């Protein structure tokens, strides 16, 4: 490795929520967002801030498999407890009552004008404060997505 680069290892010993990490993304403001087995961690290069269900109001529970810094500066997470949305310093959880079919969410994507979420029970998109089923998915028996493939039957 060239000498101008520096390699560091961060674990729970340095302040990460847990050493089991699923995904790392950088937001436009420079923070690293780290999806872990117990929540999500924000890292500014010096300090870790952990967001964990039970100790962070509004944060969804369970393992967090996906983190998505959005174009508008907010952050979305996919977890066992639903979809979490971080805006203006606070979290809000979306679940079955908000249009997601099954709280266990697998992955997120940002389209031109909306956020998409995949669960074991199908695909939903964000529209006017709730998640809705896309028209193209309505006549299918099932649509399953995870981080590596899509199955439509």
């Amino acid at each position: 490795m060239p000498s101008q680069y520096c390699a560091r290892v961060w674990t729970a010993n340095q302040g990460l929520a847990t050493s089991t990490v699923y995904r790392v993304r950088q937001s436009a403001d420079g923070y690293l967002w780290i999806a872990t087995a117990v929540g999500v961690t924000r890292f500014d290069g010096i300090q870790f801030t952990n967001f964990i269900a039970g100790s962070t109001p509004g944060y969804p529970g369970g393992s967090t498999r996906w983190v998505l810094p959005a174009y508008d500066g907010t952050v979305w997470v996919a977890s066992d407890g639903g979809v979490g949305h971080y805006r203006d310093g606070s979290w809000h959880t979306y679940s079955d009552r908000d249009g997601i079919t099954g709280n266990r969410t697998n992955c997120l994507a940002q389209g031109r004008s909306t956020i998409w979420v995949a669960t074991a029970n199908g695909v939903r998109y964000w529209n006017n404060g709730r998640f809705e089923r896309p028209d193209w998915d309505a006549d299918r028996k099932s649509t399953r997505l995870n981080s590596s493939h899509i199955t439509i039957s």
Side-chain angles (χ1 to χ4, degrees):
M1 183 181 301
S3 62
Q4 74 263 27
Y5 297 108
C6 177
R8 293 204 173 107
V9 175
W10 296 302
T11 66
N13 293 333
Q14 287 76 39
L16 196 58
T18 180
S19 295
T20 304
V21 172
Y22 298 117
R23 185 163 295 278
V24 179
R25 292 291 183 258
Q26 187 171 21
S27 55
D29 57 7
Y31 286 111
L32 289 181
W33 290 86
I34 306 161
T36 75
V38 298
V40 70
T41 298
R42 183 180 66 196
F43 184 55
D44 64 6
I46 298 170
Q47 183 174 335
F48 293 94
T49 303
N50 297 310
F51 301 102
I52 300 168
S55 62
T56 304
Y59 191 81
S63 184
T64 301
R65 283 171 298 288
W66 205 277
V67 60
L68 176 69
Y71 302 142
D72 64 2
T74 65
V75 175
W76 295 81
V77 297
S79 77
D80 289 343
V83 172
H85 188 207
Y86 186 73
R87 168 180 241 119
D88 298 327
S90 62
W91 287 95
H92 182 78
T93 296
Y94 298 98
S95 61
D96 281 334
R97 69 183 177 278
D98 305 296
I100 296 173
T101 56
N103 287 342
R104 185 174 191 268
T105 54
N106 297 322
C107 62
L108 297 159
Q110 182 157 20
R112 291 186 192 115
S113 61
T114 194
I115 300 295
W116 292 83
V117 61
T119 74
N121 300 316
V123 179
R124 299 294 183 264
Y125 69 97
W126 182 247
N127 186 32
N128 295 320
R130 65 178 283 108
F131 285 93
E132 297 184 7
R133 187 175 191 168
D135 292 337
W136 54 263
D137 195 40
D139 60 347
R140 306 206 189 283
K141 286 192 294 186
S142 68
T143 304
R144 297 177 59 115
L145 277 78
N146 66 33
S147 59
S148 61
H149 67 276
I150 300 172
T151 304
I152 300 174
S153 54

